[in-house]
Amino acid sequence: MLRESLNDLAAFIAVARAGSFTRAAAQLGVSQPALSQTVRALEARLGVRLLARTTRSVAPTEAGARLLGAVGPRFDEIEAGLASLAGLRDRPAGTVRITATEHAAHAVLWPALRRLLPDYPDIAVEIVVDSGLTDIIAQRIDAGVRFGGMVAKDMTAVRIGPDMRMAVVGSPAYLHAHPKPEAPQDLTGHRCINLRLPTRGGLYAWEFDRDGQELRVWVEGRLTFNTTALILAAALDGFGLAYLPETLVRTHLDQGTLIRVLDAWCEPFSGYHLYFASHRQVPPALGVLVDALRWPPAR
């Protein structure tokens, strides 16, 4: 009976935190119908409705929120205790889930993993590419990558890269047909390639800073993507101006296939940081990854 109750509670917690039976089923490795049946059985046994279901979302009822607040932290403590046992092994082991933007995954995470993983065969890594501000606690993710100024104060943040700059770029053909912008306000006369943020559902505002003057510009154009790879491809093909990390376009700038504009308005800012929950014990596998990513690298 106790084992059955624990399994049912774990299923409820997964659904409540994910806000979706489909996402929770994928996390638990079970089918969606089976997970739904498990939660309904728990509700029937307790005699209260725990989840309010609609066609678009799933959210805890008042009773469900109370149960989640009571048992959720206890399950977290159990998981942390089990993870800590990995420290007794000869080598760290376990799966580390990290959320990051497409650029951070390519520029920072993968170079470190490529060096690290051959020495730690018992560590598995899942990278979830997401341009939104993912709630790593709710999504059961171990860590995330954000710019330094975007990390919540209740998180532990570790710097994993140098300061960064953004760059506004266009192809020679595009800039031959359109006058170069001299100030961010001039972007209103240009075709710009937008980035849509999946979490917020809005378009990313281009951010500029010069001598303490900060500007956020919402640009317009014919193309909108949710991936930087397509934004870069469209810029190279002459479809407009793009706003991308400098490191992503540096080779194209050197080769002359892209030209930079508004350089003086793109000042350095705090680069990528790895963040994770301060109140949770850091699993050994995550600790190894933190040490491998830490900036500046140990010599």
Side-chain angles (χ1 to χ4, degrees):
M1 182 67 178
L2 176 59
R3 179 182 301 176
E4 179 180 316
S5 297
L6 290 175
N7 290 337
D8 293 353
L9 285 171
F12 160 71
I13 292 170
V15 176
R17 286 174 167 173
S20 164
F21 277 94
T22 301
R23 288 195 294 269
Q27 294 173 9
L28 296 174
V30 300
S31 69
Q32 189 272 338
L35 182 59
S36 180
Q37 183 177 356
T38 297
V39 174
R40 289 187 185 279
L42 177 63
E43 291 176 322
R45 192 160 63 251
L46 296 177
V48 294
R49 191 178 184 186
L50 300 174
L51 296 171
R53 304 161 175 84
T54 69
T55 56
R56 294 187 175 182
S57 65
V58 177
T61 62
E62 181 180 353
R66 184 177 298 182
L67 180 62
L68 180 62
V71 303
R74 306 297 183 269
F75 273 75
D76 292 340
E77 292 173 2
I78 292 172
E79 288 187 358
L82 293 174
S84 69
L85 296 180
L88 301 178
R89 296 168 56 106
D90 293 335
R91 293 183 177 182
T95 299
V96 179
R97 300 183 72 224
I98 307 173
T99 177
T101 63
E102 182 183 11
H103 178 256
H106 283 281
V108 179
L109 292 182
W110 179 242
L113 291 173
R114 186 173 55 200
R115 297 189 302 269
L116 176 72
L117 292 180
D119 295 329
Y120 293 91
D122 296 325
I123 292 179
V125 178
E126 178 182 352
I127 297 179
V128 180
V129 174
D130 187 356
S131 298
L133 300 179
T134 302
D135 185 340
I136 62 172
I137 304 299
Q139 297 300 320
R140 312 292 290 163
I141 293 176
D142 297 295
V145 178
R146 291 183 188 169
F147 294 131
M150 300 176 67
V151 177
K153 294 181 179 179
D154 60 344
M155 294 286 173
T156 297
V158 178
R159 189 181 183 95
I160 59 174
D163 285 349
M164 293 179 57
R165 293 182 73 202
M166 298 299 288
V168 181
V169 296
S171 71
Y174 176 83
L175 290 169
H176 178 74
H178 301 81
K180 290 184 179 181
E182 301 296 332
Q185 295 87 340
D186 297 337
L187 292 172
T188 56
H190 281 268
R191 294 179 179 177
C192 298
I193 306 165
N194 265 304
L195 170 68
R196 184 172 295 282
L197 300 176
T199 302
R200 298 177 180 176
L203 300 180
Y204 180 69
W206 295 13
E207 301 178 7
F208 299 97
D209 185 1
R210 184 177 185 181
D211 300 329
Q213 181 183 2
E214 298 182 1
L215 293 175
R216 290 167 59 87
V217 180
W218 277 266
V219 299
E220 296 182 355
R222 298 171 60 196
L223 295 173
T224 300
F225 301 108
N226 65 353
T227 167
T228 55
L230 285 172
I231 292 175
L232 175 58
L236 287 167
D237 289 335
F239 282 92
L241 297 178
Y243 182 77
L244 294 165
E246 182 184 65
T247 54
L248 185 61
V249 299
R250 184 173 294 144
T251 299
H252 299 287
L253 295 175
D254 293 341
Q255 295 173 347
T257 51
L258 288 176
I259 296 174
R260 186 172 192 165
V261 297
L262 299 177
D263 189 11
W265 284 91
C266 297
E267 295 189 354
F269 58 91
S270 180
Y272 289 126
H273 286 62
L274 187 78
Y275 67 96
F276 44 89
S278 300
H279 65 277
R280 291 184 178 179
Q281 183 176 359
V282 178
L286 177 58
V288 169
L289 184 57
V290 170
D291 290 340
L293 288 167
R294 195 181 301 271
W295 182 272
R299 296 184 177 180

